[in-house]
Amino acid sequence: MKLINKATAVILLSILLTMALTGCQSNGAKSPEATQNSAEKNTTNEQAKGEGASNSTAPASENSEGQSAEAIKEGSMEKEGNVVLKELAFVYNEHTIAISDTANEDQMEQMLGKPDNLKSHTYSAGDGTNMDTLIGFTEKVYTYPGLEIKTISIPEGKQDSIFHIEITDPKYATVRNIKAGDSLDTLKNAYPEGKLLGDGAPNEEDDFRYEPSNYVDVMSFHIKDAKVESIQIYSLLD
């Protein structure tokens, strides 16, 4: 009886050991096929992560392009790219003449012909003008029939630049084709950004101003009897 019990115990112990060894082999090692599948799965996951990282940078690139494509804000850039300074101009004989343009005497004569009158004045402490901020600056005034243009040059010898234009002759039109004699309604349609400074009554005098956001460069139309009487384009001097 004891021998039977011992034999039974040995058989049971063998079965338990066999089961234990089988479980360890299952958990501790993988077949070559399983290992390959696992490696392929990891590679796929890494590629997916890489693609996700690449996609996450795409919106930033698109936003950067969107910012560069934004419209230029008024008064925020140099004249070459500034739509405002290009707007503050008039056209004559296919020449566009704008505020801040450089223009010496030869250039003015080439564009507009010889002026009827040319005055030049260099500001000084004792000239009676009380323009201390302009001491050393030279101002020139070119006068044509129905047109006056003022230029200024700084003491360091840089070229003259236009800072004031006044137009009363209809042969000089703005870049939006507004000229002296046009109706107030025509002016409003051409410059919807502008506004009347006074009450704007049709039979009274008023000024219609197109003024950029920098508040330095201005185009002003003097209105009389509901028509444009004169046009002033100017830049405030510091």
Side-chain angles (χ1 to χ4, degrees):
M1 186 67 176
K2 291 182 180 179
L3 291 174
I4 294 172
N5 291 337
K6 287 181 179 180
T8 302
V10 170
I11 292 170
L12 291 173
L13 181 60
S14 298
I15 293 172
L16 290 174
L17 288 173
T18 301
M19 292 177 62
L21 289 172
T22 302
C24 289
Q25 290 176 355
S26 175
N27 293 330
K30 294 182 180 179
S31 67
E33 182 179 356
T35 302
Q36 182 178 358
N37 291 339
S38 177
E40 290 175 354
K41 183 177 181 182
N42 290 336
T43 302
T44 303
N45 290 338
E46 289 176 358
Q47 290 176 346
K49 289 180 180 179
E51 291 174 358
S54 176
N55 290 337
S56 67
T57 62
S61 176
E62 291 171 2
N63 289 338
S64 175
E65 292 176 1
Q67 290 174 356
S68 64
E70 286 182 359
I72 299 171
K73 293 184 178 180
E74 294 177 335
S76 64
M77 295 182 66
E78 297 298 327
K79 179 181 180 300
E80 285 74 11
N82 191 322
V83 293
V84 172
L85 292 184
K86 289 179 180 179
E87 287 282 357
L88 298 180
F90 72 94
V91 181
Y92 179 71
N93 283 347
E94 298 183 355
H95 293 292
T96 300
I97 302 170
I99 288 296
S100 297
D101 276 349
T102 57
N104 57 33
E105 294 180 22
D106 290 337
Q107 291 169 326
M108 292 290 287
E109 187 167 341
Q110 289 174 6
M111 294 185 294
L112 298 167
K114 189 173 182 179
D116 288 356
N117 192 25
L118 173 58
K119 294 181 181 179
S120 179
H121 174 75
T122 300
Y123 290 94
S124 62
D127 62 4
T129 61
N130 295 321
M131 299 292 286
D132 293 343
T133 58
L134 296 180
I135 290 176
F137 287 63
T138 299
E139 178 183 310
K140 294 178 183 178
V141 182
Y142 299 81
T143 303
Y144 300 86
L147 174 67
E148 183 181 86
I149 297 178
K150 296 180 181 180
T151 66
I152 193 95
S153 63
I154 63 177
E156 285 77 6
K158 291 187 177 180
Q159 293 186 12
D160 300 350
S161 61
I162 298 172
F163 76 94
H164 191 278
I165 301 168
E166 183 170 4
I167 301 169
T168 56
D169 193 313
K171 70 181 178 182
Y172 305 108
T174 70
V175 291
R176 297 191 190 181
N177 200 31
I178 294 298
K179 54 192 178 297
D182 284 343
S183 69
L184 178 58
D185 288 339
T186 301
L187 172 61
K188 287 180 177 180
N189 289 332
Y191 291 91
E193 312 96 324
K195 63 180 180 180
L196 288 166
L197 300 184
D199 294 333
N203 296 323
E204 296 178 4
E205 293 189 43
D206 204 342
D207 287 304
F208 183 91
R209 181 171 293 183
Y210 168 69
E211 187 174 39
S213 59
N214 60 11
Y215 305 108
V216 173
D217 307 303
V218 178
M219 180 180 286
S220 180
F221 303 83
H222 186 69
I223 307 301
K224 186 176 181 180
D225 297 329
K227 292 184 178 180
V228 177
E229 184 178 63
S230 63
I231 303 169
Q232 288 193 52
I233 310 171
Y234 58 91
S235 181
L236 299 177
L237 298 177
D238 294 335

